[in-house]
Amino acid sequence: LLDLDTQALSLHTTWNSFLLSLTDWATLRIERGVNKDLDSASEFEMSDIFYFARRGVESIMDDEVTKRFSAEELESWNLLTRSNNNFTYISLRLTVLWGLGLLIRYGFLLPLRVTLAFTGVGLLVFLTSVIGLLPNGRMKNFLSEKVHLMCYRICVRALTAIITYHDSENKPKNGGICVANHTSPIDVIILASDGCYAMVGQIHGGLMGVIQRSMVKACPHVWFERSEVKDRHLVAKRLSDHVQDKSKLPILIFPEGTCINNTSVMMFKKGSFEIGATVYPVAIKYDPRFGDAFWNSSKFGMVSYLLRMMSSWAIVCSVWYLPPMSREEGEDAVQFANRVKAAIARQGGLVDLLWDGGLKREKVKDTFKEEQQKLYSKMLVGTQEDRSRS
Amino acid sequence: MGSRASTLLREEEIEEIKKETGFSHSQITRLYSRFTSLDKGENGTLSREDFQRIPELAINPLGDRIINAFFPEGEDQVNFRGFMRTLAHFRPIEDNEKNKNPTASEPLNSRSNKLLFAFRLYDLDRDDKISRDELLQVLRMMVGVNISDEQLGSIADRTIQEADTNGDSCISFQEFIKVLEKVDVEQKMSIRFLH
């Protein structure tokens, strides 16, 4: 209940602007009301409905949230029809250019990249299983690091990802938790090719599961069974056990819980911020001009998404390692999470939103509507109380 | 290919919508893009669920009434024309329109039509009268659980008393217009576009 209160009371873009405009309107009404008859029972006017109607229709025309769950619209055209929704036939020259681009991308780049991808993944599975046979010790950790890095770098080539790392002196250290904004599964490959992390996630079946099981042979990752994911205490315990062991690698977590389209950072789930370890924030920003990296999981499956990625021109992104942060005195997990989120949003040039990324699939909580109703009621009834006092 | 070829907007349609609603060409294409992004089923129409997926609308106390305004009597789907026709009510009134030919049909964003939109938000059963019961229901939507029935009842009674001139304990559209004659409807019920 407490964190609902915190959520409802925190300041953020849309919520704040709504409250501000509501209080402006309320002040105007109260000023008007003071000149009215003292007999009148309340301040309700039939025109009050205009305010709600206009806000409602404004949100229908454009809102801050739903557009975060679909790919960003580009101003310029990068010769990929998928980035431009208004694609129609315009001129012969443009079409020829596009056709040439198509040939290069699908005929040359794609097969090359797919081969590389298979090589990378295959090597990862094979080599980590081999290393798993070694006894635990420094040799094993050393080899495991080398193998992981090498395979992830092959995968980076497979996507032709051109990554610029900034501020590498802030790279996450053992016993810490690395948090980053989430745009696509490629985020993992991008971060893991520059440093070694312990991954966190649910065990999948199929190819993903094979990869996960062999990775954990070489060095400890935190994989959960599906049933364990629901148990928040279990999850928290395993994570905190991991960070307390200083010989284990830093954990990599994406607190948004879902992929967002890289124009904003949405609510961070507080779980990773309760553990008490040092948090190393990382901001990842993709350059949309070369290919949109956002994974719209309701539109594309993983395989078709990866194929789209591999047939783009390139994936260009910047990674900023931000200075480590810890929870301060008197700060609770939610406030700490918001502080980290604001830092990441600022660095990456993203909009900082308090809306939950879970709104991609779920409905918004009724408590927000109840807050609005409470505010309006206070306006109607509050002025009455002032009157009776005077 | 990436384009949704089956539902692209044709030039003639844009012209017709322009004539009917007064929106500019670029505004229409922008709103069409918005319409298609809301249309999750990709069948060229919006259902009530498509609107309710907008969080800012879902938390609006009158969200359901506003959504309802888009759907004609008894229908569950609204197409792009209907969508634009309803949005047109919120277009700002430009000065050059005020002096237009008085015999031409009234534009959708006239003061009278804006008031009619608001009136219909109150008039739940669409019988062109706002009864005490309907007013109470809408008030209840706006205040939630924070005001008692008695207080709300007295607010409703006072409002009807002030507005009702023909003594039928309901507010007709004419009475509604009279009550709001001093209110700057043009400004309160208009949304400015950026281009």
Side-chain angles (χ1 to χ4, degrees):
Chain A
L1 213 62
L2 195 61
D3 82 325
L4 279 179
D5 263 328
T6 323
Q7 277 187 22
L9 293 172
S10 318
L11 299 171
H12 80 102
T13 46
T14 338
W15 190 227
N16 193 25
S17 72
F18 175 77
L19 287 182
L20 278 179
S21 51
L22 186 56
T23 39
D24 282 345
W25 175 56
T27 321
L28 245 128
R29 295 287 315 283
I30 291 173
E31 285 168 7
R32 223 198 307 140
V34 168
N35 301 327
K36 255 186 164 174
D37 260 359
L38 284 171
D39 279 328
S40 56
S42 78
E43 293 294 325
F44 173 70
E45 309 252 333
M46 293 212 82
S47 55
D48 286 356
I49 209 170
F50 290 171
Y51 179 76
F52 290 108
R54 193 175 81 176
R55 289 297 298 209
V57 177
E58 271 174 358
S59 69
I60 291 176
M61 288 187 179
D62 193 14
D63 77 301
E64 278 302 316
V65 184
T66 53
K67 61 186 178 194
R68 309 293 172 192
F69 301 130
S70 55
E72 197 187 348
E73 275 189 42
L74 282 183
E75 291 292 335
S76 56
W77 193 39
N78 57 0
L79 292 183
L80 297 170
T81 50
R82 62 181 76 129
S83 309
N84 189 329
N85 292 335
N86 296 323
F87 173 73
T88 48
Y89 181 85
I90 295 179
S91 80
L92 182 64
R93 191 149 33 130
L94 208 57
T95 314
V96 167
L97 250 164
W98 172 76
L100 219 72
L102 199 71
L103 250 154
I104 299 177
R105 286 187 292 121
Y106 282 92
F108 172 63
L109 291 176
L110 183 60
L112 182 66
R113 288 172 181 166
V114 169
T115 323
L116 273 174
F118 275 113
T119 317
V121 172
L123 271 176
L124 182 68
V125 171
F126 176 64
L127 288 173
T128 48
S129 307
V130 165
I131 292 178
L133 299 170
L134 293 172
N136 285 355
R138 268 192 32 209
M139 193 49 162
K140 186 180 190 182
N141 292 344
F142 174 71
L143 280 176
S144 159
E145 245 189 66
K146 289 285 169 260
V147 163
H148 272 108
L149 278 175
M150 180 186 81
C151 294
Y152 280 119
R153 288 195 180 138
I154 297 179
C155 290
V156 163
R157 295 280 166 272
L159 293 163
T160 320
I162 303 168
I163 313 167
T164 322
Y165 296 99
H166 303 263
D167 306 326
S168 293
E169 66 268 12
N170 292 324
K171 256 204 269 200
K173 304 195 175 46
N174 284 9
I177 300 183
C178 174
V179 301
N181 58 316
H182 201 24
T183 306
S184 109
I186 295 178
D187 294 342
V188 173
I189 301 178
I190 289 181
L191 289 180
S193 60
D194 191 46
C196 287
Y197 299 93
M199 310 284 170
V200 179
Q202 205 182 294
I203 284 253
H204 288 95
L207 179 63
M208 203 60 225
V210 170
I211 301 176
Q212 285 177 316
R213 270 179 272 270
S214 59
M215 275 170 70
V216 83
K217 286 186 193 139
C219 74
H221 297 281
V222 188
W223 302 127
F224 292 102
E225 299 291 336
R226 183 167 235 134
S227 50
E228 292 172 328
V229 172
K230 302 276 191 233
D231 186 350
R232 277 186 45 189
H233 291 294
L234 179 70
V235 170
K237 174 122 198 351
R238 278 187 66 181
L239 288 177
S240 71
D241 284 346
H242 186 111
V243 301
Q244 269 156 27
D245 184 349
K246 294 292 182 232
S247 71
K248 294 203 176 137
L249 298 166
I251 297 182
L252 179 58
I253 285 190
F254 297 100
E256 281 165 309
T258 186
C259 292
I260 310 293
N261 75 348
N262 209 231
T263 58
S264 68
V265 186
M266 298 191 104
M267 186 180 96
F268 275 6
K269 306 221 181 311
K270 63 179 174 156
S272 2
F273 299 92
E274 285 172 327
I275 299 176
T278 321
V279 170
Y280 295 87
V282 175
I284 307 176
K285 177 78 178 132
Y286 291 88
D287 189 339
R289 289 173 298 176
F290 292 90
D292 186 13
F294 167 59
W295 182 31
N296 191 340
S297 52
S298 47
K299 252 182 137 182
F300 306 109
M302 171 79 93
V303 176
S304 73
Y305 167 71
L306 286 174
L307 283 175
R308 279 166 71 96
M309 285 301 103
M310 291 198 256
S311 57
S312 306
W313 289 114
I315 305 205
V316 180
C317 65
S318 294
V319 175
W320 286 272
Y321 292 104
L322 296 167
M325 290 173 148
S326 301
R327 186 143 67 125
E328 282 167 7
E329 279 301 314
E331 202 182 30
D332 70 3
V334 176
Q335 289 166 329
F336 180 36
N338 288 339
R339 196 159 58 90
V340 174
K341 176 157 72 74
I344 293 181
R346 209 181 5 247
Q347 182 62 72
L350 307 163
V351 177
D352 185 2
L353 293 180
L354 211 64
W355 292 102
D356 186 353
L359 289 172
K360 194 193 223 174
R361 297 204 178 78
E362 289 149 20
K363 287 200 160 166
V364 66
K365 295 197 192 110
D366 281 334
T367 42
F368 289 106
K369 190 195 274 203
E370 286 155 18
E371 265 299 310
Q372 294 208 25
Q373 288 168 329
K374 222 197 292 190
L375 253 145
Y376 179 67
S377 313
K378 234 188 255 191
M379 250 190 53
L380 287 190
V381 172
T383 48
Q384 265 192 304
E385 288 173 353
D386 293 335
R387 290 268 181 70
S388 56
R389 251 185 266 132
S390 65
Chain B
M1 298 239 183
S3 63
R4 283 162 268 229
S6 54
T7 47
L8 271 184
L9 208 52
R10 297 189 311 277
E11 273 306 313
E12 316 94 64
E13 275 191 75
I14 298 183
E15 282 306 309
E16 283 172 35
I17 296 176
K18 206 172 180 182
K19 245 187 278 203
E20 196 181 359
T21 61
F23 282 118
S24 73
H25 194 283
S26 58
Q27 288 168 340
I28 294 173
T29 41
R30 193 155 169 268
L31 287 169
Y32 184 69
S33 166
R34 174 68 171 164
F35 180 85
T36 43
S37 72
L38 291 173
D39 179 14
K40 288 282 184 281
E42 292 192 0
N43 53 359
T45 59
L46 296 179
S47 67
R48 287 192 167 81
E49 287 76 39
D50 288 323
F51 284 100
Q52 277 155 0
R53 226 175 273 119
I54 304 172
E56 289 164 35
L57 187 61
I59 65 173
N60 189 314
L62 293 176
D64 287 333
R65 291 303 303 152
I66 297 167
I67 294 174
N68 213 50
F70 282 83
F71 294 86
E73 182 77 54
E75 295 193 18
D76 287 329
Q77 302 286 332
V78 57
N79 60 12
F80 184 59
R81 294 290 283 271
F83 183 71
M84 292 303 280
R85 226 175 277 132
T86 316
L87 288 182
H89 288 109
F90 285 82
R91 206 165 64 78
I93 301 178
E94 275 119 49
D95 285 321
N96 57 6
E97 282 181 57
K98 290 194 181 144
N99 305 322
K100 258 203 172 122
N101 184 355
T103 58
S105 63
E106 200 173 1
L108 287 166
N109 66 336
S110 68
R111 184 195 162 85
S112 172
N113 275 324
K114 286 181 196 285
L115 284 166
L116 188 57
F117 184 88
F119 182 80
R120 291 207 171 119
L121 289 178
Y122 282 111
D123 184 11
L124 300 169
D125 58 7
R126 300 190 198 218
D127 66 348
D128 298 326
K129 292 201 295 285
I130 304 174
S131 67
R132 179 180 190 272
D133 207 41
E134 288 173 338
L135 185 56
L136 262 176
Q137 284 188 55
V138 176
L139 275 168
R140 184 51 77 194
M141 285 181 214
M142 288 198 268
V143 306
V145 299
N146 300 294
I147 296 187
S148 68
D149 283 333
E150 300 85 54
Q151 239 178 331
L152 217 60
S154 64
I155 293 176
D157 286 329
R158 181 193 68 96
T159 313
I160 294 188
Q161 200 184 12
E162 283 180 3
D164 189 19
T165 49
N166 68 351
D168 64 352
S169 311
C170 286
I171 305 178
S172 70
F173 185 48
Q174 297 309 319
E175 290 164 349
F176 187 74
I177 295 180
K178 189 94 190 16
V179 168
L180 295 172
E181 66 187 347
K182 294 216 181 59
V183 174
D184 184 1
V185 177
E186 285 86 350
Q187 192 256 332
K188 291 205 157 87
M189 289 283 276
S190 294
I191 297 173
R192 305 227 149 255
F193 277 83
L194 291 171
H195 51 72

